[in-house]
Amino acid sequence: AFAAVPRERFVRPQAQSVAYTDTPLRCVGGKRMLLSPLILGRLLQAAEIQPGERVLDVAGGSGYSACLLGHLAREVVALESVALEAPFDLGDNVTRAVGPVADGLKAQAPFDAIVINGVIEATPTALLGQLGEGGRLVALERQGASAQVVRYDRMGGDVSRRMVANASGPALPEFAAQSGFVF
């Protein structure tokens, strides 16, 4: 999938010459950052996407991750909080949706896999509720000053969580932890 999708198409024009560096880059037509290729690759590996599956791609910006997922899955829905200024085709099996990314797309659930493109601080409870039986959710989760690739699995009505790898990436404000009272 990485060989088939030109990353430079999804970044701002001034960053196209460095599109393949292993660093997050500002995406075209939006305020989101694309994850570095290494971290995105780890997320996709952890998700173990199968050809017949439905996938929800959350906060992917210009659609690079959704386009990659389109090469791996039967159907992909790319959910963003705002419509892309200059949308372009992501593939025949990828559709776009606009709405609060932390809420997901309950009306279109269940999903076999959900990929969150950034660092979250709070458990994505609404999205976990949209996983089908055997479904997986992958994200970067803040652990103190660092982040980790984590995978949640839904089995028999329960959800388990495991750490996959250390990672870094841009924070997603929609998944910030609620501030609480501290002594």
Side-chain angles (χ1 to χ4, degrees):
F2 276 92
V5 179
R7 183 172 159 90
E8 67 272 10
R9 182 176 139 200
F10 297 88
V11 299
R12 291 190 173 183
Q14 58 270 34
Q16 288 179 347
S17 64
V18 294
Y20 293 93
T21 58
D22 200 33
T23 184
L25 294 173
R26 181 92 36 213
C27 72
V28 67
K31 297 179 181 178
R32 295 267 189 228
M33 299 285 286
L34 296 183
L35 293 172
S36 71
L38 175 66
I39 301 303
L40 181 56
R42 291 219 172 159
L43 277 175
L44 297 182
Q45 281 181 320
E48 297 181 13
I49 307 298
Q50 300 301 309
E53 294 184 325
R54 292 185 69 234
V55 179
L56 178 62
D57 183 57
V58 178
S62 56
Y64 180 62
S65 56
C67 198
L68 291 172
L69 286 163
H71 285 271
L72 304 173
R74 172 180 53 87
E75 178 185 349
V76 178
V77 180
L79 175 62
E80 244 323 329
S81 55
V82 295
L84 189 62
E85 295 170 14
F88 43 83
D89 183 42
L90 298 178
D92 293 341
N93 62 337
V94 180
T95 57
R96 294 182 188 268
V98 177
V101 294
D103 294 345
L105 291 172
K106 189 174 182 179
Q108 294 187 37
F111 295 97
D112 300 300
I114 298 175
V115 176
I116 302 176
N117 288 274
V119 176
I120 63 174
E121 294 179 347
T123 302
T125 308
L127 293 173
L128 290 172
Q130 296 172 31
L131 285 175
E133 180 66 21
R136 292 98 43 219
L137 181 147
V138 294
L140 303 176
E141 192 173 272
R142 177 135 352 261
Q143 301 292 320
S146 63
Q148 298 174 336
V149 174
V150 294
R151 175 176 158 161
Y152 293 86
D153 290 275
R154 176 174 291 285
M155 287 293 193
D158 294 325
V159 176
S160 64
R161 177 193 170 279
R162 68 180 165 103
M163 192 277 276
V164 176
N166 291 324
S168 64
L172 295 173
E174 297 93 341
F175 294 96
Q178 296 293 322
S179 57
F181 183 74
V182 177
F183 287 97

